[in-house]
Amino acid sequence: MSLLILLLAPGIFAIYWIIRMQICLSRIRYLVDTYGLNRRKLKALKCKEVKNLRDKIDQLRAHNDADGLENLVRPYRS
C-alpha cells in the first residue's frame, strides 16, 4: 500500500500544480481581455499578486470609482 502511495504522489502533486497554474493563467487572461492590460507585465507578477490586483479592481468597480480604477491599472497597460 505504501508503495502505491509513493508511486501516485508525484502524479497527484503534478495535477495539483497544473490546476494552480491554470487558475493563475485564467486570472491573467481575464485582466488582459477585460481591461486591456499587458500580458508580459502581468506575467512578471506572482499568482498571489495577480489575485490581489483583481480583488482591488473588483472592489473599485463595486464602488464605481473610475479614477481609482484607472490609477490602479495604468502601470499594467501596454
Side-chain angles (χ1 to χ4, degrees):
M1 185 66 178
S2 63
L3 182 63
L4 182 64
I5 292 172
L6 287 174
L7 291 174
L8 293 177
I12 293 171
F13 178 73
I15 291 171
Y16 170 76
W17 184 77
I18 289 171
I19 290 171
R20 282 189 51 126
M21 184 181 65
Q22 288 299 320
I23 290 171
C24 188
L25 290 175
S26 174
R27 287 184 183 130
I28 290 173
R29 192 176 320 115
Y30 171 79
L31 292 173
V32 169
D33 292 343
T34 306
Y35 299 104
L37 304 184
N38 190 346
R39 186 178 304 268
R40 289 184 184 164
K41 291 180 181 179
L42 291 176
K43 285 221 179 199
L45 299 176
K46 294 182 180 179
C47 194
K48 188 176 268 190
E49 293 170 337
V50 173
K51 182 179 184 281
N52 289 338
L53 177 64
R54 184 167 176 193
D55 289 342
K56 288 178 186 176
I57 288 173
D58 288 341
Q59 288 175 356
L60 290 172
R61 283 189 64 202
H63 291 102
N64 293 324
D65 187 5
D67 292 331
L69 183 61
E70 180 62 30
N71 290 334
L72 182 63
V73 298
R74 185 177 294 140
Y76 302 107
R77 289 247 166 105
S78 318

